[in-house]
Amino acid sequence: MKRFGFFIFLFCAVNSFAQDSTYTRNIINTLTSKAFWGRGYTKDGMKKAADYIVDAYQKIGLSPMGTAYKQMFNFPVNTFPGKMEVSINGKKLIPGEDFIINNESPGIKQISKLTPVDSLNYRATPSLQVLLKDKLTWSVASEVGDVTTIQLNKKRFAAIPKEISVDIENKFIPNFQAANISGLVKGTKYPDSLLIITAHYDHLGGMGAATYFPGANDNAAGVATLLSLAKYYAANPQPYSIGFICFAGEEAGLLGSRYFVENPLVSFGNIKFLINLDLVGTGETGMTVVNATVYPKAFAQLNAINNEHHYISKINSRGKAANSDHYFFTEKGVPAFFIYTQGGPSAYHDIFDKPETLPLTKYKDLFKLIVGFNQKLME
């Protein structure tokens, strides 16, 4: 009877926290706001996000995983803090909408005629090229190349590009300072056994002084889900300790998670399972689990919980992939799933990944699925 009462309490607690989507929405709105400037490399965007997450950890009541919440590291990065001006055939273009600059490009100031290479590629001497693209997708570079490459949105620019005027400033930072943010809820019965939830909080930052990439689905949604789960577990401590890690440097090549694995704050042998959350703000057509084929028993348990409660319409199985922060843990023998949802808006690595168009369709169900799965792992 006591055990039944406990499960009733647990069910009510999980539903209460899962349904508190206001908290989750507020986190997403904050992390994607102009003040955080794409959680990247200009205007202190990533540092502001890190400080915000530390403050959230403290308010929730998480203990530091090591001696401090922040694990500092650095890496080189090419940034664009200043001028971002491009005109084609005398028409001034809008950064992010009409064009992007390839992230490894050097700065340039030039007015030139464009010579066609083919119908989609144009060049200007000495080191400038223009590409026509169906979709503009930005990223992060850790070095500066020799050629400045500008991508034009074909859908917004129908004319043949014949002349270009460009004034773009770049700044290479050889030792950009970043931080992983780690916290912990101590286990009540087996505190040395760990379940860990991770999500990267960095995004692409800004391209010039007036354009930034909000990164709502990638990955403010993952951070918000992580913090919501942290809030739940802080209020409902489990037999195992539950760890939470928000990584920096994911967009620059999984740099934060690699640094953590090379400089661990916990023993890998104590980590019973790790769940990495990235791109979890949708779910209309289901979700995918990377490493499902690597850990078939755990994937079967996840599916059994989902089949019983009908949380997610379809859970797709995927094998091993070096496509998010779970990867280096898997390489060290830590059992891990990387979960991402599918369907909804298609915005990705562009300026349209905004909070107002992020549906959070399956946030509540994914929350309950993760709690149920973790509960199964602790049995």
Side-chain angles (χ1 to χ4, degrees), residues 208-226:
T211 302
Y212 75 97
F213 296 77
N217 194 31
D218 187 16
N219 187 33
V223 174
T225 304
L226 178 148

Side-chain angles (χ1 to χ4, degrees), residues 73-150:
F73 67 104
N74 64 74
F75 55 93
V77 64
N78 191 32
T79 72
F80 299 91
K83 290 183 179 178
M84 186 60 58
E85 299 174 5
V86 174
S87 294
I88 300 286
N89 301 346
K91 178 187 176 184
K92 187 174 181 179
L93 305 185
I94 302 170
E97 295 186 25
D98 295 329
F99 78 94
I100 60 167
I101 182 167
N102 279 22
N103 47 79
E104 74 280 2
S105 296
I108 190 171
K109 185 174 183 179
Q110 185 175 323
I111 298 174
S112 303
K113 297 290 185 182
L114 288 168
T115 302
V117 178
D118 54 43
S119 61
L120 299 177
N121 298 276
Y122 298 80
R123 286 183 184 167
T125 57
S127 55
L128 176 64
Q129 62 180 1
V130 174
L131 312 177
L132 272 64
K133 295 285 186 178
D134 291 319
K135 185 185 185 308
L136 302 181
T137 303
W138 213 43
S139 190
V140 179
S142 58
E143 58 186 9
V144 182
D146 299 322
V147 177
T148 301
T149 302
I150 294 166

Side-chain angles (χ1 to χ4, degrees), residues 180 247 253-263 325 328-329:
N180 297 323
F247 293 115
L254 313 181
L255 299 183
S257 53
R258 183 174 72 180
Y259 185 85
F260 186 97
V261 168
E262 291 172 351
N263 302 271
D325 288 315
F328 293 108
F329 290 92

Side-chain angles (χ1 to χ4, degrees), residues 64-329:
M65 194 173 282
T67 57
Y69 292 108
K70 288 186 178 182
Q71 181 189 46
M72 304 301 299
F73 67 104
N74 64 74
F75 55 93
V77 64
N78 191 32
T79 72
F80 299 91
K83 290 183 179 178
M84 186 60 58
E85 299 174 5
V86 174
S87 294
I88 300 286
N89 301 346
K91 178 187 176 184
K92 187 174 181 179
L93 305 185
I94 302 170
E97 295 186 25
D98 295 329
F99 78 94
I100 60 167
I101 182 167
N102 279 22
N103 47 79
E104 74 280 2
S105 296
I108 190 171
K109 185 174 183 179
Q110 185 175 323
I111 298 174
S112 303
K113 297 290 185 182
L114 288 168
T115 302
V117 178
D118 54 43
S119 61
L120 299 177
N121 298 276
Y122 298 80
R123 286 183 184 167
T125 57
S127 55
L128 176 64
Q129 62 180 1
V130 174
L131 312 177
L132 272 64
K133 295 285 186 178
D134 291 319
K135 185 185 185 308
L136 302 181
T137 303
W138 213 43
S139 190
V140 179
S142 58
E143 58 186 9
V144 182
D146 299 322
V147 177
T148 301
T149 302
I150 294 166
Q151 297 185 25
L152 302 183
N153 185 345
K154 281 171 60 182
K155 297 178 180 127
R156 292 177 60 93
F157 195 87
I160 296 172
K162 296 180 178 179
E163 184 181 84
I164 186 169
S165 172
V166 58
D167 190 357
I168 290 172
E169 294 176 346
N170 83 305
K171 181 181 179 182
F172 181 72
I173 304 174
N175 294 292
F176 180 83
Q177 295 294 313
N180 297 323
I181 319 296
S182 304
L184 192 69
V185 177
K186 274 282 187 183
T188 57
K189 193 172 181 181
Y190 307 105
D192 290 335
S193 294
L194 274 165
L195 299 177
I196 291 184
I197 298 165
T198 68
H200 76 88
Y201 70 91
D202 64 301
H203 193 51
L204 305 177
M207 192 182 78
T211 302
Y212 75 97
F213 296 77
N217 194 31
D218 187 16
N219 187 33
V223 174
T225 304
L226 178 148
L227 290 175
S228 298
L229 287 162
K231 191 178 176 186
Y232 165 75
Y233 282 120
N236 301 277
Q238 301 295 302
Y240 288 11
S241 293
I242 314 290
F244 302 90
I245 312 172
C246 290
F247 293 115
E250 192 270 354
E251 301 289 12
L254 313 181
L255 299 183
S257 53
R258 183 174 72 180
Y259 185 85
F260 186 97
V261 168
E262 291 172 351
N263 302 271
L265 301 178
V266 295
S267 170
F268 293 137
N270 291 348
I271 303 174
K272 304 309 177 185
F273 214 90
L274 182 147
I275 296 175
N276 179 51
L277 303 172
D278 196 356
L279 303 165
V280 293
T282 61
E284 289 88 337
T285 58
M287 76 181 208
T288 294
V289 176
V290 174
N291 276 354
T293 61
V294 181
Y295 305 104
K297 182 180 176 182
F299 186 64
Q301 290 174 326
L302 184 73
N303 265 305
I305 295 164
N306 190 60
N307 291 337
E308 181 182 351
H309 298 282
H310 308 291
Y311 291 136
I312 308 295
S313 62
K314 183 181 180 184
I315 301 181
N316 302 299
S317 168
R318 187 169 172 181
K320 185 177 175 181
N323 56 352
S324 195
D325 288 315
H326 66 287
Y327 175 71
F328 293 108
F329 290 92

